Amino acid sequence: MSDAGKTRCAWAKGELMEAYHDSEWGVQTLDEQKLYELFLLEAFQAGLSWYIILKKRENFRKAFDGFDVHKIAGYGEDKIAELLGDAGIIRSRGKIEGAINNARCFLDIQKEFGSFAAYLYHFTDGKPVVNLTDEMKTTTALSDTMSLDMKKRGMKYMGSVTLYSYLQAIGVVNDHDTTCFCHPSALD
Ligand SMILES: [Zn+2]
């Protein structure tokens, strides 16, 4: 099937980004495993392009035990050394230690709220936020509030910009361009 006639968000260029845009980005997910996978990946993205992370995604999956949050929460110095030697991922000690720290915070939140999804959506009255304009934002009042709350809970590498990118990815915020075939108004 040819997708040539489809209008996408302007950033979705190239095969990998198009596939991600079409099948994942902005699609609301309540799956805890998926919520965690993207949470980890977004934190590694900070300061880099999402394309780099997508290209390395399967390397990350292998290196981080299939994004098993319980396993990651228990990583020690040996595993950190192994990860620092893995050229397939982003070899930043800060981000690797951040991921381990965040896995522990993620589990604490799951325990407190019943699920990470419940935690995320208690900020938005239980429903996704649809952006009805084409204004490209990098943060919003919502991401500021949530980022601050996560910081208080001990999360690292989850500043408002990174968090907003995460909210877009998992569909808490739907930020497709209004002309994009994935925008909710195009699906009516
Ligand atoms: Zn789009």
Side-chain angles (χ1 to χ4, degrees):
M1 197 185 88
S2 168
D3 288 342
K6 286 179 178 167
T7 303
R8 293 182 171 84
C9 292
W11 59 264
K13 298 265 185 274
E15 210 175 311
L16 194 59
M17 294 292 267
E18 280 186 5
Y20 171 71
H21 167 274
D22 293 4
S23 63
E24 287 192 79
W25 194 75
V27 177
Q28 188 189 19
T29 179
L30 301 175
D31 179 78
E32 294 289 298
Q33 183 56 39
K34 182 109 196 251
L35 290 175
Y36 177 67
E37 174 175 342
L38 285 164
F39 193 79
L40 181 146
L41 292 173
E42 290 281 356
F44 269 95
Q45 192 228 338
L48 303 166
S49 79
W50 184 241
Y51 177 71
I52 288 175
I53 300 296
L54 275 187
K55 267 208 316 197
K56 293 178 179 286
R57 187 177 191 170
E58 295 316 309
N59 300 338
F60 270 99
R61 193 185 308 285
K62 218 181 282 169
F64 284 90
D65 290 293
F67 303 112
D68 182 327
V69 64
H70 290 95
K71 280 191 183 162
I72 296 169
Y75 283 177
E77 211 36 67
D78 286 358
K79 181 70 184 188
I80 293 173
E82 183 192 316
L83 291 167
L84 284 170
D86 188 337
I89 62 165
I90 306 295
R91 290 186 286 178
S92 148
R93 176 174 276 275
K95 286 182 180 177
I96 290 168
E97 288 177 348
I100 299 167
N101 168 79
N102 286 359
R104 293 168 186 160
C105 297
F106 192 95
L107 289 171
D108 287 344
I109 288 173
Q110 278 183 328
K111 202 184 253 178
E112 185 180 338
F113 288 83
S115 69
F116 197 69
Y119 166 70
L120 294 172
Y121 284 96
H122 97 279
F123 289 97
T124 67
D125 292 330
K127 49 184 190 298
V129 178
V130 177
N131 188 357
L132 296 171
T133 72
D134 284 341
E135 189 193 346
M136 280 310 270
K137 298 178 187 134
T138 55
T139 64
T140 61
L142 175 67
S143 67
D144 288 347
T145 303
M146 289 176 76
S147 167
L148 206 64
D149 190 77
M150 287 192 186
K151 200 173 175 185
K152 276 194 218 145
R153 293 170 183 277
M155 292 282 199
K156 306 262 196 271
Y157 293 97
M158 268 298 148
S160 191
V161 172
T162 301
L163 188 65
Y164 191 63
S165 173
Y166 175 64
L167 297 177
Q168 291 175 310
I170 59 169
V172 169
V173 176
N174 188 310
D175 245 335
H176 284 283
D177 291 350
T178 54
T179 51
C180 174
F181 81 97
C182 293
H183 189 269
S185 64
L187 303 175
D188 292 342

